[in-house]
Amino acid sequence: MSDDIHEVYAIRYGHHKRKAAENYIHGDPHDVLEPLDFYVWAIVGKSGAIVLDTGFDAAMGKKRQRELITPIGDGLKAIGIDPASVETVIVSHMHYDHVGNYDLFPRARYHLQDCEMAYATGRCMCHQALRIPFEADDVVALVRKLFDGRVVFHDGEDEIVPGVTVHHIGGHSKGLQSVRVKTGRGHVVLAADASHLYSHMESGRIFPLTYNVEQVVEGYATLKRLASSPAHVVPGHDPLVLTRYPAAKPGLEGWVVRLDAEPK
Ligand SMILES: [Zn+2]
Ligand SMILES: [Zn+2]
């Protein structure tokens, strides 16, 4: 079967002002701001709409002191996707900014790596240092979906639909997976937190929140290998994504961009 071609969108929903030094192990010599944006992604093809990650809601933004700009449901609706009709959600990993809004997709099955669920429910969560990016309510919500028959597990590389595959990267979180999508301009790779910013994979530096440093740096090579070119890799938290790619349609500038379009 030949792989289907997909449209791919990045939908920004949140923002966090922070200094560059906070984004790297060993810091950064420049005393400048280097904020993070928060995104979810939509992949649209013959098989319907697939949503990668489910963000956080207003209450979680407040708790974590992260700015919610626009709820993710509004972003999806802006490109014609009704969350209630989405049947496939891919979870890159179970950190609070990737698995919230759990009642928004009542029909969806959630695809994640075996070892991410095991990590988030096992002995590593005995340690405060490893628990920091997880929320018990998020983890419980996903366990409830598991018992409702709505979780699909993957171990390593797997196909979601023709032209959309998941790839275990690990590193930042034990079961972190990135997503490769066949598009009209070649294979685009949605790194999620396998590279928070372009600078991480370009300079080989590491975001401080890390389970396994070796897997992070090996992951940068994997992302580039999976993509049609290094420029086809889309980092998970970089505000530059919104300026490198065109708006999905007029009026969505700075909010929803089209990743299967040629960068500007
Ligand atoms: Zn993360
Ligand atoms: Zn994240």
Side-chain angles (χ1 to χ4, degrees):
M1 192 192 297
S2 68
D3 288 347
D4 296 335
I5 299 289
H6 296 81
E7 298 169 7
V8 189
Y9 302 89
I11 301 161
R12 179 207 198 208
Y13 72 89
H15 186 71
H16 186 228
K17 287 192 183 70
R18 54 205 279 148
K19 292 208 162 178
E22 297 175 68
N23 289 331
Y24 307 95
I25 289 178
H26 306 310
D28 185 280
H30 307 96
D31 186 23
V32 293
L33 284 175
E34 191 176 52
L36 299 183
D37 274 340
F38 293 83
Y39 298 93
V40 297
W41 299 267
I43 301 162
V44 181
K46 237 189 251 173
S47 320
I50 297 170
V51 174
L52 169 60
D53 290 343
T54 60
F56 58 70
D57 62 11
M60 185 57 66
K62 201 171 171 195
K63 179 178 178 186
R64 293 274 181 164
Q65 297 180 304
R66 303 290 188 263
E67 183 187 355
L68 177 77
I69 296 170
T70 317
I72 67 157
D74 293 359
L76 290 165
K77 285 175 193 156
I79 51 171
I81 297 172
D82 175 10
S85 69
V86 170
E87 295 186 347
T88 304
V89 167
I90 302 172
V91 176
S92 68
H93 63 308
M94 291 170 65
H95 289 173
Y96 78 92
D97 53 322
H98 297 260
V99 285
N101 294 297
Y102 17 83
D103 296 325
L104 196 60
F105 303 97
R107 293 187 55 187
R109 299 212 298 167
Y110 287 64
H111 294 252
L112 70 155
Q113 292 282 321
D114 286 306
C115 61
E116 184 66 0
M117 180 64 94
Y119 180 54
T121 54
R123 72 157 61 208
C124 284
M125 294 303 109
C126 297
H127 304 290
Q128 164 66 7
L130 298 176
R131 274 202 305 269
I132 288 171
F134 293 91
E135 287 283 339
D137 286 346
D138 290 347
V139 175
V140 169
L142 207 48
V143 171
R144 289 193 188 285
K145 286 186 175 65
L146 172 61
F147 278 77
D148 286 342
R150 296 177 54 204
V151 169
V152 183
F153 285 108
H154 303 277
D155 181 14
E157 184 176 316
D158 222 342
E159 182 183 79
I160 305 299
V161 299
V164 179
T165 48
V166 293
H167 303 264
H168 177 237
I169 302 287
H172 166 70
S173 189
K174 189 169 185 179
L176 173 68
Q177 59 183 353
S178 299
V179 181
R180 181 192 204 221
V181 186
K182 187 167 185 187
T183 75
R185 70 175 180 109
H187 284 107
V188 168
V189 173
L190 302 173
D193 290 5
S195 189
H196 282 66
L197 302 171
Y198 282 106
S199 62
H200 287 105
M201 58 185 169
E202 285 170 1
S203 66
R205 289 186 290 169
I206 295 153
F207 193 76
L209 210 57
T210 293
Y211 165 80
N212 181 309
V213 166
E214 177 189 1
Q215 289 175 358
V216 172
V217 288
E218 288 289 327
Y220 298 149
T222 302
L223 297 173
K224 290 171 192 164
R225 177 175 56 76
L226 291 169
S228 289
S229 82
H232 284 70
V233 181
V234 182
H237 285 278
D238 201 324
L240 285 173
V241 170
L242 295 173
T243 57
R244 290 195 183 180
Y245 291 94
K249 59 185 182 188
L252 301 187
E253 291 82 5
W255 181 17
V256 186
V257 294
R258 186 88 187 255
L259 302 173
D260 58 307
E262 291 298 332
K264 290 192 269 183

